Amino acid sequence: MMTLIAMDVTAAPSTLQVVWFCLVAVLFLGYFVLEGFDFGVGMLLPVLARDEKERRVMINTIGPVWDGNEVWVLVAGGAMFAAFPEWYATLFSGFYLPLLLILVGLIVRAVAFEYRSKRDDPLWRRRWDWCIIAGSVLPALLWGVAFGNIVRGVPLDADHNYTGTLLTLLNPFALLAGLVTVGLFVTHGAVFIALKTLGDIRGRARSLAGRVGLVTLVLLAGLAAWHNLAFANTALVWAPTAVAAIGLVAGLLANRAGREGWAFVGSALAIAGLVVTLFLGLFPDVMPASNDPAHSLTVVNASSTPTTLTIMTWAAAIATPIVLAYQGWTYWIFRKRIGVQHMPDPTPESAESTPGTEHSPSTDHNAERSPSSSRG
């Protein structure tokens, strides 16, 4: 019996197991690329905006899309739960506190987007702005820490239960990964703001993206070298690493030249390259055990039955194109730039208490305007 179990655990992954490992990676890739600029905009709220109108401009750049971007992580968690339940169970029990803090941050940020416009009170809005900032910084940092620990490995017992503590997760490699994700998201967000805005805020965003991007490039190079040399299982990880580095450099050069569209593509490639590097170095493990490789979770011993994977594959094949088409249509509809000229002037009765009130964007059709929502 023990021989049969060992053979089953060490068996080669099936095609469906490999497919669903790749799909989980793609879902997290999409989440970090799309939600990454959302986090970046939130973190830059007190840095780039000079007054209430500019804060509203920044929030309106992501107003129509931020909640749709969050769907990617929900689907990624659902796919992990259904395709690799052992991975899901170990991850969400062992990383309970960091993942709970991520969830709290996302909830607080979502509430802040909706509530900051409910009262014409500068103090009220300032408090909700800090909630947006905290709700952006915390997930950006902790997602990097979580994935840093996943690829580095954590102590697991024979039943695949996490045996470490919170301090175990706060190791140098994971903390560096957290700094890299924060830097990438800030750069990505600054480029997105430059791509979506008009006027002075556009210039400030481009300037900041260049400065933060250089620091992020150094951190990214250090993390990639450490990961590829110490934790990766294959030399193939150097290819997506090169894509990440080249994408970030090209994005910074395009940003310097005022080509915000290409700059955004470059920063997106940097994030995508990093995610592929981490998942490619992880395979065939899904959660390696740092104390004993025999306790590691792999795509084989963590996966669901072939029947479950088959049903999920058909469901994904039908639903995924519809979701992608809808989200692509949303981005196309809300593609134009927005500036302070599209924000309404304050009403006379509230002019002394707040720089602006929440109405629909300006109807000046002579200026380029964004059809983004007026939330925020």
Side-chain angles (χ1 to χ4, degrees):
M1 175 65 71
M2 294 300 295
T3 303
L4 291 175
I5 293 175
M7 290 175 61
D8 180 66
V9 169
T10 58
S14 69
T15 300
L16 285 178
Q17 288 168 343
V18 174
V19 166
W20 276 98
F21 177 85
C22 293
L23 285 177
V24 170
V26 168
L27 289 168
F28 275 108
L29 186 156
Y31 174 66
F32 289 139
V33 169
L34 297 177
E35 189 79 337
F37 69 75
D38 286 355
F39 289 145
V41 172
M43 288 186 281
L44 291 174
L45 196 59
V47 179
L48 292 178
R50 296 291 186 264
D51 53 33
E52 173 61 18
K53 276 195 173 184
E54 289 190 345
R55 284 189 288 273
R56 292 172 61 195
V57 166
M58 289 181 63
I59 294 173
N60 273 280
T61 61
I62 60 174
V65 297
W66 68 267
D67 43 2
N69 293 341
E70 287 186 351
V71 172
W72 286 78
V73 73
L74 299 178
V75 179
M80 188 185 295
F81 173 78
F84 302 103
E86 286 281 350
W87 184 13
Y88 180 92
T90 300
L91 177 64
F92 279 78
S93 60
F95 291 29
Y96 181 81
L97 182 56
L99 293 176
L100 176 63
L101 291 175
I102 290 174
L103 179 61
V104 170
L106 294 177
I107 293 173
V108 168
R109 190 179 68 129
V111 172
F113 281 140
E114 299 295 340
Y115 272 73
R116 76 178 301 275
S117 63
K118 299 304 181 183
R119 289 173 55 185
D120 282 339
D121 181 357
L123 181 60
W124 170 270
R125 295 194 180 200
R126 188 157 55 247
R127 287 172 177 171
W128 286 116
D129 286 345
W130 280 108
C131 289
I132 293 174
I133 296 163
S136 300
V137 173
L138 200 60
L141 176 66
L142 292 179
W143 275 123
V145 172
F147 271 90
N149 279 290
I150 290 173
V151 299
R152 175 184 179 272
V154 293
L156 302 175
D157 62 18
D159 294 322
H160 309 305
N161 295 315
Y162 176 69
T163 59
T165 65
L166 177 62
L167 292 179
T168 306
L169 303 178
L170 302 179
N171 55 80
F173 179 79
L175 292 174
L176 176 58
L179 292 177
V180 169
T181 52
V182 169
L184 282 173
F185 293 164
V186 169
T187 304
H188 199 39
V191 170
F192 180 77
I193 293 170
L195 176 65
K196 288 287 293 179
T197 59
L198 300 164
D200 294 340
I201 194 171
R202 176 184 179 187
R204 291 197 297 270
R206 283 177 51 194
S207 177
L208 183 65
R211 296 195 302 271
V212 176
L214 290 176
V215 176
T216 302
L217 181 61
V218 175
L219 294 175
L220 177 63
L223 177 71
W226 191 348
H227 169 265
N228 293 0
L229 295 174
F231 306 118
N233 297 324
T234 173
L236 294 176
V237 294
W238 290 103
T241 299
V243 171
I246 293 171
L248 186 54
V249 171
L252 294 177
L253 292 175
N255 176 72
R256 184 181 179 88
R259 304 294 298 274
E260 290 99 344
W262 287 110
F264 184 78
V265 172
S267 59
L269 280 176
I271 296 173
L274 177 61
V275 174
V276 173
T277 296
L278 296 180
F279 273 91
L280 190 58
L282 188 62
F283 186 82
D285 292 336
V286 292
M287 184 167 283
S290 59
N291 55 324
D292 185 351
H295 298 167
S296 296
L297 280 168
T298 69
V299 294
V300 176
N301 63 15
S303 76
S304 294
T305 64
T307 301
T308 300
L309 296 179
T310 300
I311 294 173
M312 289 174 56
T313 301
W314 281 106
I318 296 171
T320 301
I322 299 174
V323 174
L324 291 177
Y326 172 77
Q327 192 159 28
W329 175 82
T330 303
Y331 275 90
W332 176 255
I333 291 296
F334 298 106
R335 67 190 182 277
K336 293 186 178 180
R337 297 180 184 268
I338 186 172
V340 293
Q341 64 269 34
H342 303 131
M343 297 295 103
D345 292 325
T347 56
E349 60 271 18
S350 62
E352 294 183 0
S353 61
T354 179
T357 56
E358 299 303 318
H359 300 293
S360 59
S362 168
T363 55
D364 180 7
H365 297 285
N366 294 322
E368 183 180 18
R369 60 187 296 268
S370 170
S372 59
S373 70
S374 61
R375 66 181 60 179

